[in-house]
Amino acid sequence: MPYVTVQMLEGRTDEQRKALIEKVTDAVVETTGASREKVVVFVEDIDKRNYGVGGKRLID
């Protein structure tokens, strides 16, 4: 049973999340041969206050 975790910055719509889960599932099925019903996709939001690049938070 493949498990995929996608971490991304917060702010995506429910429609974007739905499309992401569908496309990730399709890619896993296509590349691994796993059955669609066995693919699990987790989407984890990262709060922009907790994410930094180059020593600075994205919200600063």
Side-chain angles (χ1 to χ4, degrees):
M1 179 177 295
Y3 291 89
V4 178
T5 301
V6 177
Q7 295 179 323
M8 62 184 182
L9 292 175
E10 62 188 351
R12 301 319 193 287
T13 66
D14 284 340
E15 293 80 22
Q16 289 171 317
R17 292 167 177 282
K18 181 180 177 183
L20 177 64
I21 290 169
E22 289 173 0
K23 290 182 183 285
V24 168
T25 299
D26 290 343
V28 171
V29 169
E30 181 182 327
T31 58
T32 68
S35 68
R36 185 172 196 79
E37 296 76 26
K38 299 289 185 181
V39 177
V40 178
V41 179
F42 298 98
V43 178
E44 297 180 359
D45 279 342
I46 299 173
D47 187 318
K48 291 178 183 178
R49 295 173 296 177
N50 298 327
Y51 188 89
V53 176
K56 295 187 178 186
R57 294 185 312 167
L58 290 182
I59 62 168
D60 292 336

